[in-house]
């Protein structure tokens, strides 16, 4: 149950992708668990994210499961340090080489904006 993405837009010309192993260049955007319009506050994998942006110490991300399957673990650099994240969510606008990372506030989502990061896949799926 995708929640709300401050930077979400329609995906023009969506592409079909297969799972790619190794290091990927991924377009990042950011979303918040804003549940004022009937959403459950749970990810596609059933994790309640209304009060957290992490799972087992890793950041939570939404991915296209055809590129990075749910439950995969990835690593990337953010603000000068390496961050591990787990793919627990999906979304209609998250197609191809895109990642949407859960953040705590609208202002944080807007401040982070959009950008491309090099992502190393540490584990594919469960």
């Amino acid at each position: 149950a995708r929640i709300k993405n401050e930077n979400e837009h329609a995906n023009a010309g969506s592409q079909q992708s297969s799972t790619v192993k190794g290091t990927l260049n991924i377009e990042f955007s950011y979303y918040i668990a804003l549940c004022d319009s009937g959403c459950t506050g749970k990810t596609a994998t059933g994790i309640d994210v209304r009060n957290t942006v992490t799972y087992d110490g890793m950041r939570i991300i939404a991915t296209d499961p055809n590129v990075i399957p749910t439950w995969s673990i990835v690593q990337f650099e953010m603000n000068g340090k390496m961050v591990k994240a787990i793919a627990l969510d999906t979304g209609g606008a998250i197609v191809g080489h895109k990642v949407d990372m859960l953040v705590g506030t609208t202002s944080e989502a807007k401040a982070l904006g959009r950008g491309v990061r090099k992502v190393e896949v540490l584990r594919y799926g469960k």
Side-chain angles (χ1 to χ4, degrees):
R2 287 273 309 141
I3 307 153
K4 179 173 172 65
N5 174 347
E6 287 302 312
N7 298 310
E8 200 159 301
H9 64 283
N11 184 36
S14 65
Q15 60 193 46
Q16 292 293 328
S17 291
S18 60
T19 300
V20 181
K21 298 191 181 204
T23 302
L24 308 168
N25 287 319
I26 301 286
E27 179 185 349
F28 267 71
S29 57
Y30 304 88
Y31 74 106
I32 60 172
L34 181 62
C35 291
D36 58 0
S37 59
C39 79
T40 64
K42 292 186 179 179
T43 66
T45 56
I47 306 301
D48 186 335
V49 295
R50 288 174 290 187
N51 297 306
T52 189
V53 297
T54 62
Y55 179 84
D56 283 349
M58 295 175 278
R59 296 300 299 256
I60 296 168
I61 56 174
T63 63
D64 178 340
N66 293 313
V67 177
I68 300 174
T70 53
W71 296 101
S72 294
I73 297 173
V74 301
Q75 177 175 275
F76 53 89
E77 187 177 332
M78 184 172 177
N79 299 326
K81 64 180 181 178
M82 294 307 287
V83 174
K84 283 188 180 176
I86 186 164
L88 296 179
D89 212 352
T90 60
I94 309 305
V95 178
H97 287 77
K98 293 184 179 181
V99 162
D100 209 7
M101 189 168 87
L102 182 64
V103 295
T105 65
T106 301
S107 60
E108 184 181 4
K110 287 180 180 178
L112 289 166
R114 285 190 175 279
V116 174
R117 296 183 190 279
K118 185 181 285 188
V119 172
E120 180 183 359
V121 180
L122 302 177
R123 181 184 82 191
Y124 278 90
K126 263 191 168 179

